[in-house]
Amino acid sequence: MRLILNSPLDMHLHLRDGDMLKNVAKFSAKDFAGALIMPNLLPPITDIKSLLAYKKRIFEAVREENFTPHMTLFFKSDYTADFLEKAKPYIAAIKLYPNGVTTNSEGGIEQIDTKRLSPVFEAMSELDIPLCVHGETNGFVMDREREFCAIYEQLAASFPKLTIIMEHITTKECVKLLEKHENLHATITLHHLLITLDDVMGGLLNPHLFCKPIAKRYEDKEALLEAALNAHKKVMFGSDSAPHLVSKKECCGCAAGIFSAPIALSALAELFEKHGKLTNLQTFVSDNARDIYKLIPINKPIVLEKKEWIVPAKFDDVVPMFASQTLKWKVKSRLN
Ligand code: NCD
Ligand code: ZN
């Protein structure tokens, strides 16, 4: 049995830099036609020169693979309309991080005051630059995303022409918001369709499933599944594949992030098939992103076969999701 996906897109991806970039980029480049590249490097990507230099390093890391990195800038409150106009040809979106809520988000926004930030949001609306948001407050960890819904609503209502992407949503409340505001959209990860907090820490603690936003309750997972499996027009796949060295995961002070890039398409096919929704995977993993981001991806059909394979325990020093476990679908002609 075979499945062909036309130009799959991963609309939320951490490729890192240096040796890590060289280790991880090939997995996304092989299986996807393109990805939205997160700007949370150290220091973050906030100017065109470093953005283009980073893009060049990504191309070097993916070598001959046909893959489009859709670049993003790290949101700053002092971006001017003039700067944004110059940046527009080089970026697909701008990513807003509240200060300190996740890996490398220092230098993010202290307070999302829609009035104070309105010049940037107005300029982005005019230029049709989507705003991607890591939507978490500094509140109690299980409530952070739900609390942030009020900010999403305020943003959506105050800037109706701004395309807003609620990144890696994890709650039923965020799924509901999609119906309420036309300009709200969302990415959903693979892991949030599969796990709840129980899998992270209900039994023995699993650092490799620790990520931000933390996986939530069963009813949240169900709401996310309902939207993704039925190819809701306003949701798209964003893996949030976020690799960290094993030494940073298996330690006290475990870094947040799940490395899912090497298994993302296989596990998605298995999940959609299990629910009898395989025919909707194309929409979730590519078509919706084209519509929301108004992008035309390179033509890259990806063939998956129904063939069991065992996920390696590690890729260099990074442990992937489903490490040492068997998956039912395999991307044909993968690298290893
Ligand atoms: C991401 C990372 O490691 O960069 N971590 C994560 O847990 N998802 C950052 C992010 O997207 O929150
Ligand atoms: Zn992320």
Side-chain angles (χ1 to χ4, degrees), residues 4 24 31 33 51 67 101 141 143 145 164 171 187 201 213 221 228-229 255 264 282 287 316 329:
I4 298 177
V24 302
D31 292 359
L51 180 131
F67 173 80
V101 295
V141 67
D143 295 337
E145 185 175 288
I164 301 166
T171 55
T187 53
M201 56 179 297
K221 190 182 83 168
L229 293 171
Q282 173 67 34
D287 302 351
D316 280 355
W329 286 85

Side-chain angles (χ1 to χ4, degrees), residues 95-147:
K95 175 76 186 285
L96 188 155
Y97 291 89
N99 190 41
V101 295
T102 190
T103 311
N104 302 346
S105 61
E106 297 68 30
I109 299 301
E110 283 291 349
Q111 218 196 342
I112 302 171
D113 176 340
T114 42
K115 259 219 184 90
R116 196 175 64 84
L117 299 173
S118 75
V120 194
F121 295 139
E122 290 293 1
M124 288 174 67
S125 305
E126 281 309 309
L127 291 162
D128 204 12
I129 300 174
L131 173 74
C132 300
V133 183
H134 182 115
E136 289 196 284
T137 66
N138 289 311
F140 177 65
V141 67
M142 287 295 277
D143 295 337
R144 287 175 190 173
E145 185 175 288
R146 198 155 43 85
E147 287 173 2

Side-chain angles (χ1 to χ4, degrees), residues 12 14 16 40 102-103 134 168 211-212 240 242 244 256-257:
H12 184 130
H14 299 271
R16 313 299 193 206
N40 64 331
T102 190
T103 311
H134 182 115
H168 42 50
C211 65
K212 300 286 177 69
D240 196 13
H244 293 279

Side-chain angles (χ1 to χ4, degrees), residues 121-281:
F121 295 139
E122 290 293 1
M124 288 174 67
S125 305
E126 281 309 309
L127 291 162
D128 204 12
I129 300 174
L131 173 74
C132 300
V133 183
H134 182 115
E136 289 196 284
T137 66
N138 289 311
F140 177 65
V141 67
M142 287 295 277
D143 295 337
R144 287 175 190 173
E145 185 175 288
R146 198 155 43 85
E147 287 173 2
F148 200 90
C149 284
I151 302 174
Y152 277 137
E153 292 225 56
Q154 212 184 348
L155 280 170
S158 311
F159 307 98
K161 285 202 303 178
L162 182 62
T163 299
I164 301 166
I165 324 284
M166 304 186 285
E167 291 296 329
H168 42 50
I169 58 170
T170 60
T171 55
K172 59 182 192 316
E173 285 80 7
C174 273
V175 176
K176 274 208 196 103
L177 277 193
L178 292 169
E179 312 307 324
K180 211 167 155 191
H181 297 273
E182 208 185 313
N183 55 336
L184 282 184
H185 309 267
T187 53
I188 301 182
T189 71
L190 165 71
H191 47 273
H192 292 120
L193 292 172
L194 291 171
I195 65 168
T196 69
L197 188 63
D198 269 358
D199 298 287
V200 188
M201 56 179 297
L204 296 177
L205 183 70
N206 186 345
H208 299 293
L209 295 181
F210 173 62
C211 65
K212 300 286 177 69
I214 194 89
K216 304 287 186 316
R217 295 177 170 78
Y218 285 87
E219 59 265 35
D220 294 307
K221 190 182 83 168
E222 288 308 309
L224 299 174
L225 272 172
E226 164 84 19
L229 293 171
N230 294 307
H232 189 301
K233 290 306 287 172
K234 297 179 91 182
V235 306
M236 58 201 151
F237 177 61
S239 70
D240 196 13
S241 179
H244 293 279
L245 291 175
V246 68
S247 57
K248 298 267 192 251
K249 292 293 286 178
E250 296 180 3
C251 64
C252 181
C254 164
I258 297 176
F259 180 46
S260 58
I263 55 87
L265 284 188
S266 302
L268 277 173
E270 189 166 332
L271 175 72
F272 275 63
E273 186 188 34
K274 184 178 137 202
H275 290 272
K277 297 284 185 182
L278 208 45
T279 49
N280 284 346
L281 185 51

